[in-house]
């Protein structure tokens, strides 16, 4: 417990970290070495295995890795500093505030990777692919900006497809078995999150889709 607290405290001192409720809506690009690049965000990044791989694969974009847990972010942020990754920054924030954290059309792409599924109907509002969130994504994404979504949870995936249908949004690259052998829709889709690696080792298949809200 003490270690966890130390990591939480240490997170805010790192040069690639943003802690607390940042006053940055509309200005996130300025936090990066090259503010002219596209701005992507991963929501619920955990220790940011995927975010680090993505930032390395795509030096032509800037990436914000967001999670509410500072001790997890600390791990990712320290490793990113050690690896000298300059196009990745870490934000401690509650994703429920995603709509307020960003200005209109500020993001070029959003990644939602293995979010908590909130299976209870009474918690449906917290699902990151629910209609409330998709409305927010629409506001903070530029026109044509995409949401990329990965999950092992088939009911959550089916729910998401239903929501998109209701909102008359046509999803792209829908698959219930991303790693089943068909060519990857993009090179980024092949990169693994920590949960993805774990779930695949358990024999689970991975669902993936992308859409422009
Ligand atoms: C199941 S884990 C997946 C982590 C990572 N994306 C992966 O695939 O390995 C879900 C993550 O979402 C974060 N999370 C859950 N609710 C959140 C919220 N309201 N705001 C920010 N992060 C949240 C958790 O702290 C956790 O790290």
């Amino acid at each position: 417990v003490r270690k966890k607290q130390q990591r939480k405290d240490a997170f805010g001192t790192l040069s690639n970290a943003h802690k607390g409720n940042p006053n940055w809506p509309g200005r996130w690009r300025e936090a990066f070495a090259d503010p002219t690049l596209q701005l992507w965000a991963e929501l619920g990044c955990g220790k940011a295995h995927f975010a680090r791989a993505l930032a390395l694969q795509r030096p032509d974009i800037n990436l914000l890795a967001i999670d509410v847990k500072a001790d997890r972010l600390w791990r990712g942020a320290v490793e990113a500093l050690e690896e000298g990754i300059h196009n990745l920054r870490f934000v401690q924030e509650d994703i429920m505030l995603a709509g307020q954290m960003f200005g209109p059309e500020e993001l070029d792409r959003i990644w939602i990777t293995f979010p908590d599924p909130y299976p209870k109907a009474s918690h449906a509002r917290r699902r990151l692919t629910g209609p409330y969130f998709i409305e927010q994504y629409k506001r903070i994404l530029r026109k044509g900006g995409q949401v990329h979504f990965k999950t092992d949870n088939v009911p959550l995936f089916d729910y998401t497809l239903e929501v998109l249908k209701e909102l008359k949004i046509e999803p792209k690259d829908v698959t219930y078995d991303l790693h089943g052998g068909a060519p990857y829709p993009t090179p980024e889709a092949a990169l693994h999150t920590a949960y993805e690696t774990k779930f695949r080792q358990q024999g689970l298949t991975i669902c993936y889709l992308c859409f422009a809200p």
Side-chain angles (χ1 to χ4, degrees):
V1 174
R2 219 176 112 230
K3 242 191 176 148
K4 203 167 162 178
Q5 189 57 46
Q6 281 171 353
R7 287 174 180 173
K8 275 188 192 171
D9 296 340
F11 172 70
T13 69
L14 299 173
S15 61
N16 57 356
H18 300 264
K19 198 181 160 100
N21 197 350
N23 255 335
W24 287 78
R27 296 183 44 206
W28 283 103
R29 275 180 171 74
E30 296 170 30
F32 289 89
D34 183 352
T36 66
L37 303 182
Q38 282 199 12
L39 184 60
W40 296 10
E42 184 191 4
L43 310 184
C45 65
K47 294 177 190 168
H49 280 81
F50 172 72
R52 280 184 284 124
L54 183 57
L56 284 169
Q57 189 194 57
R58 296 291 306 262
D60 58 322
I61 59 119
N62 288 324
L63 178 61
L64 292 169
I66 306 168
D67 204 286
V68 76
K69 297 265 172 80
D71 52 311
R72 292 182 190 168
L73 288 169
W74 173 84
R75 163 80 59 206
V78 166
E79 284 174 8
L81 286 174
E82 283 169 5
E83 289 162 356
I85 304 175
H86 297 296
N87 59 332
L88 172 59
R89 298 186 67 79
F90 294 81
V91 185
Q92 188 205 359
E93 188 53 278
D94 187 334
I95 302 160
M96 295 296 280
L97 300 176
Q100 297 157 50
M101 271 179 77
F102 296 103
E105 302 195 30
E106 185 162 16
L107 293 173
D108 293 286
R109 186 178 294 190
I110 291 171
W111 285 88
I112 304 172
T113 49
F114 302 88
D116 298 324
Y118 294 112
K120 282 191 194 162
S122 58
H123 292 163
R125 258 180 57 85
R126 297 188 200 165
R127 294 177 196 152
L128 290 189
T129 52
Y132 166 78
F133 281 100
I134 291 178
E135 278 308 310
Q136 307 295 317
Y137 304 151
K138 190 175 176 162
R139 193 182 71 82
I140 63 183
L141 276 172
R142 73 162 153 83
K143 265 206 173 69
Q146 294 174 341
V147 177
H148 292 243
F149 170 52
K150 277 185 174 185
T151 184
D152 63 302
N153 191 297
V154 174
L156 179 67
F157 196 69
D158 286 337
Y159 163 82
T160 304
L161 287 169
E162 276 304 309
V163 169
L164 292 175
K165 200 168 158 189
E166 269 166 40
L167 296 174
K168 299 195 166 51
I169 296 169
E170 188 73 42
K172 264 183 35 154
D173 301 326
V174 182
T175 173
Y176 284 81
D177 190 3
L178 177 64
H179 305 292
Y184 288 108
T186 63
E188 298 93 55
L191 300 175
H192 282 54
T193 79
Y195 273 73
E196 191 165 3
T197 302
K198 198 175 77 179
F199 289 143
R200 287 194 72 199
Q201 282 163 356
Q202 294 169 6
L204 295 174
T205 54
I206 304 302
C207 305
Y208 169 87
L209 63 77
C210 108
F211 62 94

